[in-house]
Amino acid sequence: MPYALRRLLLAPLLALATLCVGTACTAAAGEDTATALDDPAKKEIAMRLVSSAENSSLDWKAQYRYVEDIGDGRGYTAGIVGFCTGCGDLLKVVERYVAARPDGNVLKPFLPALREVKGSESHDGLGSAFVTAWREAADDPAFRKTQDDERDRIYFDPAVAAGKGDGLGALGQFIYYDAYVMHGFRDARGSVGFRTMRQQALKKAESPAKGGDEAAYLNAFLDARVDAMRREPSHSDTSRVETAQRVFLDAGNLDLEPPLKWKVYGDSYRIDAS
């Protein structure tokens, strides 16, 4: 058969083969298109879920100005993820804000007092003047950005990275993030941190990264967290786990896809699909 004719006959077959291979590749890629928690839409869901537990509201952006002593032994709790004076993360927020806005900063005068009360529930040098200054600062875009940046640096980014490392989808990454927000990474006086919870979970189930079942591992992690919460009088209500995160897990919603319905402290919430 002449070469030119052979090329003419083979051309449609080659095109079809290319199309089939491309389609197969597309299909294979489609099998792994689950969106991680750091996707903007998923991150927005995470912020709203945490706000329902921390502030009884889905409007997390209204919480930049939030500040009060909730009686948990950690001094003032404030801002979008409950930074606290006793834990020291609130101090980091103010230090970063002062660095970004050194002149005329209403929170700058409180830096010495914030350093003194770190590790305690004391209000010494703070009081109503500090509360007023925090709320005033919340009108400054630079202060709101500072809260966002510290939330991500201390809690969100490490939690998502840990979740990805353990082979978890968006729900598992959120479960890690919420644990980071409430408990921190390390154990502290009278409380159990994320690191210990994860270690306890791994004793009961393999992570997906090691070939384990994702739902089984997440149930083990939530069990460890519930046990930790029940040891702290201020966190003994476990509804942010049992009637929220566990609900999503039991439904098999490992990708944290809306619509979502849950309860925290007896209040009902929902996020509809867009």
Side-chain angles (χ1 to χ4, degrees):
M1 181 182 293
Y3 175 73
L5 179 58
R6 188 167 65 246
R7 276 191 68 186
L8 183 64
L9 292 173
L10 285 175
L13 295 175
L14 290 171
L16 180 61
T18 301
L19 177 62
C20 291
V21 170
T23 303
C25 291
T26 302
E31 293 174 1
D32 190 29
T33 56
T35 307
L37 199 68
D38 49 8
D39 170 81
K42 281 289 197 295
K43 187 173 183 179
E44 174 68 19
I45 289 173
M47 298 305 107
R48 297 176 76 186
L49 287 168
V50 168
S51 186
S52 73
E54 293 286 328
N55 303 102
S56 299
S57 169
L58 296 184
D59 186 6
W60 68 270
K61 293 180 180 179
Q63 312 312 321
Y64 289 109
R65 69 188 312 275
Y66 165 76
V67 53
E68 69 174 323
D69 188 329
I70 61 175
D72 63 353
R74 299 175 182 181
Y76 284 113
T77 296
I80 54 174
V81 289
F83 304 107
C84 59
T85 54
C87 303
D89 54 357
L90 189 149
L91 170 61
K92 295 295 184 184
V93 170
V94 176
E95 287 178 336
R96 186 169 185 155
Y97 177 44
V98 169
R101 180 134 8 241
D103 299 325
N105 191 311
V106 295
L107 288 173
K108 186 174 183 178
F110 297 98
L111 278 174
L114 288 170
R115 293 182 179 120
E116 285 295 320
V117 302
K118 180 181 175 182
S120 75
E121 60 183 326
S122 174
H123 293 181
D124 289 352
L126 300 173
S128 61
F130 169 73
V131 170
T132 299
W134 180 277
R135 290 172 177 164
E136 180 180 341
D139 292 329
D140 183 358
F143 185 51
R144 295 195 292 272
K145 183 179 185 301
T146 297
Q147 290 194 43
D148 291 343
D149 291 345
E150 282 300 289
R151 171 204 61 205
D152 291 349
R153 184 184 71 84
I154 302 173
Y155 301 116
F156 187 81
D157 291 348
V160 171
K164 289 180 178 180
D166 283 338
L168 302 176
L171 174 60
Q173 293 165 31
F174 172 73
I175 286 172
Y176 275 17
Y177 170 57
D178 193 62
Y180 257 85
V181 168
M182 176 177 273
H183 306 277
F185 176 71
R186 298 178 180 83
D187 295 356
R189 183 182 59 190
S191 66
V192 175
F194 167 83
R195 178 172 57 185
T196 297
M197 294 175 202
R198 179 177 175 275
Q199 290 170 347
Q200 291 172 344
L202 287 170
K203 292 177 182 178
K204 301 289 183 63
E206 292 278 5
S207 71
K210 296 293 181 64
D213 178 78
E214 187 168 2
Y217 171 74
L218 288 175
N219 270 310
F221 182 87
L222 291 179
D223 288 345
R225 184 176 176 193
V226 166
D227 181 66
M229 292 172 73
R230 287 176 174 159
R231 297 183 187 192
E232 296 183 56
S234 60
H235 291 150
S236 58
D237 185 315
T238 61
S239 60
R240 72 193 287 164
V241 170
E242 301 293 19
T243 60
Q245 296 167 39
R246 191 95 70 178
V247 170
F248 308 147
L249 182 56
D250 289 347
N253 192 353
L254 297 175
D255 294 330
L256 199 62
E257 287 289 342
L260 299 168
K261 296 180 181 179
W262 73 99
K263 291 183 178 181
V264 182
Y265 310 132
D267 296 328
S268 296
Y269 302 91
R270 66 180 293 139
I271 295 175
D272 294 320
S274 57

